[in-house]
Each structure stands twice: as structure tokens, then as C-alpha cells.
Amino acid sequence: MLKIAVERTTAPKPKPEDQTKLGFGGIFTDHMFLMDYNAGEGWHDPRIVPFGPLPLSPAAMCLHYGQEVFEGMKAYACPDGSVRLFRPDENMKRLNLSCDRLCIPPIDEAFAVEAVKELVRLDAGWVPTAEGTSLYIRPFIFAADAQLGVHPAKHLIFCIILCPVGAYFPEGLNPVKIYVEQEYVRAVRGGMGYTKTAGNYAASLKAQEKANAAGYSQVLWLDGLEHKYIEEVGAMNVFFALGDSVVTPALQGSILGGITRKSCVALLQSWGVPVEERPLALAELLEGTRSGQLKEAFGSGTAAVISPIGALRCGEENIAINGGNIGALSQRLYDALTGIQWGRSPDPFGWTVAV
Ligand SMILES: *Cc1c(COP(=O)(O)O)cnc(C)c1O
């Protein structure tokens, strides 16, 4: 394995004083990881350096054509004093899946996990310890060629940065109101929906603004072809307790395969709850709200873990789910996942790794 060169900062920044006011994504630690790719040389020169601006040509291809992929994961401060990651191998596997779609040369997944660990160990003093807080980890790769022609880059940069982040719901699990978007789409099958790449999020902004302006916190995306099937919610996968089972849309190319989603499916199955991964039509969901078969709904993702859905706005209709309250399964999944992630309960699946 390549050796990572380390240049420590000579000017450590003050750490946030009030961990209850961390918010998300605006505070960065003292160091970052960098590695270069050049055609002919491959990935080389892995190094940890003080966090700071990157020299980049205004012609850098990522700025013009969006050849970029990223990941989102967290490190958690556990009661035994260890700092743990949650299924980091899954993040790096998905990063390579995204790389493949965007014509970015693959990274060594095991090495990338080691790079995360080494960076987190160096900035371990930045892992917040207040209830619900964590260290968010953002690995990303972008095209750095100074070249305005459209082609796969020959020079790329792999970077990892870290942010201490606050509790997503400081007052506990609050059900969110969701806007069913029937005009704009996020992704289509054959496109890049299953990858974490910048363009998917640029495509989502307009609908997100529309939902926010109408008083809703997130968008429920429908499929790009027929606008008929449920895809996901904002940057979360979505689950519905429908009848006696839990239904989540099947991954068919336009949906991001969430690691929280995969973990929810495993937990539900281990509890004997039937899980169906299949196409789910909006019409079936609306029918379920009328018949009483729709018992609860929730989103899943690294940021919020589980986000219960209390209401749906669909056209002119406002539909309450579970009386606008958090459902029993949502609460049970939230408790189980956060228990494992923050090291408060046993980890029967072996999902966590110490840095
Ligand atoms: C990251 C992301 C998710 C959730 O994935 P996790 O691995 O569970 O964090 C879901 N949908 C989209 C669009 C995402 O970007």
C-alpha cells in the first residue's frame, strides 16, 4: 500500500466552542487528504496537508463539464473513547461505481478507507462528543485538466475533507412535510441517478426551492419517464410501511443505493419484518392513504439517519401520514442504527470500524 506523507499544520484553528450549534457543513478541520492521478502514472502522491485552497486553472474541466464524484460518511465518538466509522468499505465501493459511470479511473478501495482513517486519526480532536453530533467525511474526485474540450480527464484530484456536524434533529425526531414533485425530475434510467455526482444535485435545486417556497422541507421525486413511480426523497431513500410489509423502491438505475437504506433492509429482515424492494406507483401510495394501509413513511440517509415523513403534498391534496407523528418502525430503526453507530449497543453485523 502507498505511504501517506503527512504535513501537519503549524497554525491549528480553534475548535467550535458550543457543540450544540454546529449546524452542517460550514466548519472544516485542520487537515485534508490529497492524491493525484495522471494518465500514465496512475494514482500517486497521497498526502495529508493543512486544510486550505487548492490551486486550480479556471479551465479545469470539473468547472465546465461536471466530471466529479463524491461520498458522504461519518465518524462517531463512542462511549469507550474510540472513534468509529460506519461501513466505510461500502462508501468506497460506491465511489468506484460512481467513478465508472463518470469515466474516472478507479481508486484502491482499501487504501481509500485507510486514508480516511489516517486523516480522522490526525484530526481526532475535532470529532465532536455532544449527543447526536459527528464528524462528517467528504471524499471527492474531480477533473483538473486545464482543457476546454469535452473528454474524460487525464489529470484528476482525490480529496478528503472533514466537518464537525451537529445533531440533525436537536429536538428529537421531527416528522417532515414532503412535496411530491410532478414536473421536474432528478434523474432518468440510463443517466447518473445511481451515482453521487455533482450534476444530480444541480438538477435537484429548482424543485427543492419550489418545495421550500410552498412550506415543504423536501421533494419526493417521481421517475423521469412516466412521472408515476416513487424514487427517493431529497438526498434520502424512502420507505413506506404498507399493509404488513415495508416497501422501498427497487434500485433500477435512477435511484442512489443508500448505505442507510441497505442497513435498514438488513435490520428489518433480521426483525422478521417483510421488506419489498419493487417499483411503487404514486397511485398505490395514495390508495394506501385512503384505505388506511399506509401506516408510516420515512427517509433514510447518512445525514439524518431516519427522517419520519408526517405529510405529503400531492397536487392540491395534503395527506397526513400516521397523524403527522413518528411511527413505531421509524423510531425502532433510528434507535437501532444510532445505537450501533455511536457504539451504545452491540454491533451484530460488524458494521463499525475503529479508526
Ligand atoms: C447520499 C444519498 C442518499 C443516501 O445514501 P446513504 O449512503 O444512506 O447516505 C440517498 N439519495 C441520494 C440522492 C443521495 O445523494
Side-chain angles (χ1 to χ4, degrees), residues 58-130:
M61 282 178 44
C62 60
L63 301 176
H64 302 274
Y65 309 120
Q67 194 188 9
E68 188 266 0
V69 296
F70 69 92
E71 269 305 320
M73 54 204 285
K74 284 175 169 177
Y76 307 86
C78 298
D80 66 0
S82 67
V83 171
R84 306 186 79 83
L85 305 171
F86 183 72
R87 310 187 80 176
D89 48 323
E90 292 284 341
N91 289 94
M92 296 315 173
K93 199 163 104 187
R94 186 170 66 192
L95 186 60
N96 266 346
L97 190 74
S98 300
C99 283
D100 176 69
R101 180 65 182 81
L102 274 286
C103 293
I104 292 174
I107 47 135
D108 177 334
E109 293 168 21
F111 176 75
V113 171
E114 282 310 308
V116 165
K117 286 186 184 171
E118 189 154 343
L119 182 63
V120 172
R121 279 198 298 266
L122 187 62
D123 279 341
W126 286 85
V127 183
T129 50

Side-chain angles (χ1 to χ4, degrees), residues 240-243 285 288-289 291-297 312 319 321-322:
F240 300 92
L242 204 54
L285 199 65
T289 64
S291 66
Q293 288 296 297
L294 178 66
K295 292 168 184 148
E296 56 183 292
L312 285 180
I319 302 155
I321 300 176
N322 195 30

Side-chain angles (χ1 to χ4, degrees), residues 15-353:
K15 302 194 174 65
E17 268 166 32
D18 187 351
Q19 293 191 358
T20 63
K21 296 200 174 66
L22 283 173
F24 185 88
I27 302 168
F28 302 95
T29 66
D30 282 326
H31 298 91
M32 63 183 179
F33 171 87
L34 289 173
M35 187 173 191
D36 289 280
Y37 176 92
N38 288 94
E41 266 179 294
W43 285 109
H44 62 277
D45 196 14
R47 57 208 187 272
I48 290 173
V49 296
F51 181 91
L54 297 166
L56 203 63
S57 165
M61 282 178 44
C62 60
L63 301 176
H64 302 274
Y65 309 120
Q67 194 188 9
E68 188 266 0
V69 296
F70 69 92
E71 269 305 320
M73 54 204 285
K74 284 175 169 177
Y76 307 86
C78 298
D80 66 0
S82 67
V83 171
R84 306 186 79 83
L85 305 171
F86 183 72
R87 310 187 80 176
D89 48 323
E90 292 284 341
N91 289 94
M92 296 315 173
K93 199 163 104 187
R94 186 170 66 192
L95 186 60
N96 266 346
L97 190 74
S98 300
C99 283
D100 176 69
R101 180 65 182 81
L102 274 286
C103 293
I104 292 174
I107 47 135
D108 177 334
E109 293 168 21
F111 176 75
V113 171
E114 282 310 308
V116 165
K117 286 186 184 171
E118 189 154 343
L119 182 63
V120 172
R121 279 198 298 266
L122 187 62
D123 279 341
W126 286 85
V127 183
T129 50
E131 174 72 23
T133 62
S134 55
L135 186 72
Y136 185 78
I137 303 165
R138 169 56 57 86
F140 59 109
I141 304 175
F142 59 94
D145 298 29
Q147 237 297 331
L148 294 183
V150 178
H151 60 79
K154 296 186 175 64
H155 174 208
L156 295 108
I157 296 172
F158 177 20
C159 183
I160 307 173
I161 55 177
L162 308 173
C163 300
V165 299
Y168 205 82
F169 297 115
E171 299 87 35
L173 276 182
N174 277 326
V176 292
K177 290 162 67 193
I178 303 286
Y179 189 95
V180 182
E181 176 55 50
Q182 296 182 295
E183 178 188 5
Y184 299 112
V185 300
R186 172 186 169 274
V188 290
R189 228 182 279 173
M192 308 187 296
Y194 66 92
T195 69
K196 269 183 141 53
T197 184
N200 288 337
Y201 305 85
S204 74
L205 296 174
K206 190 90 174 162
Q208 182 65 39
E209 284 235 299
K210 189 173 137 187
N212 292 156
Y216 293 78
S217 63
Q218 301 268 348
V219 170
L220 179 70
W221 298 106
L222 300 179
D223 75 278
L225 282 180
E226 298 179 82
H227 297 209
K228 217 169 113 180
Y229 294 95
I230 308 287
E231 296 228 307
E232 48 185 320
V233 170
M236 291 188 287
N237 294 113
V238 66
F239 290 78
F240 300 92
L242 204 54
D244 293 325
S245 48
V246 173
V247 184
T248 189
L251 304 176
Q252 291 178 317
S254 50
I255 299 174
L256 199 285
I259 296 158
T260 320
R261 174 189 184 277
K262 190 172 180 173
S263 309
C264 286
V265 170
L267 281 168
L268 289 166
Q269 286 171 340
S270 77
W271 298 335
V273 178
V275 182
E276 296 171 27
E277 294 182 59
R278 61 168 172 87
L280 174 62
L282 176 61
E284 181 184 343
L285 199 65
L286 296 179
E287 176 49 34
T289 64
R290 285 187 277 270
S291 66
Q293 288 296 297
L294 178 66
K295 292 168 184 148
E296 56 183 292
F298 59 89
S300 73
T302 296
V305 192
I306 296 293
S307 180
I309 299 172
L312 285 180
R313 162 81 171 269
C314 187
E316 293 308 304
E317 246 184 305
N318 263 313
I319 302 155
I321 300 176
N322 195 30
N325 299 308
I326 177 166
L329 270 182
S330 310
Q331 185 72 56
R332 189 174 174 197
L333 279 169
Y334 179 82
D335 292 342
L337 280 168
T338 55
I340 294 171
Q341 288 166 337
W342 272 277
R344 288 188 299 254
S345 27
D347 175 14
F349 299 92
W351 281 338
T352 69
V353 218

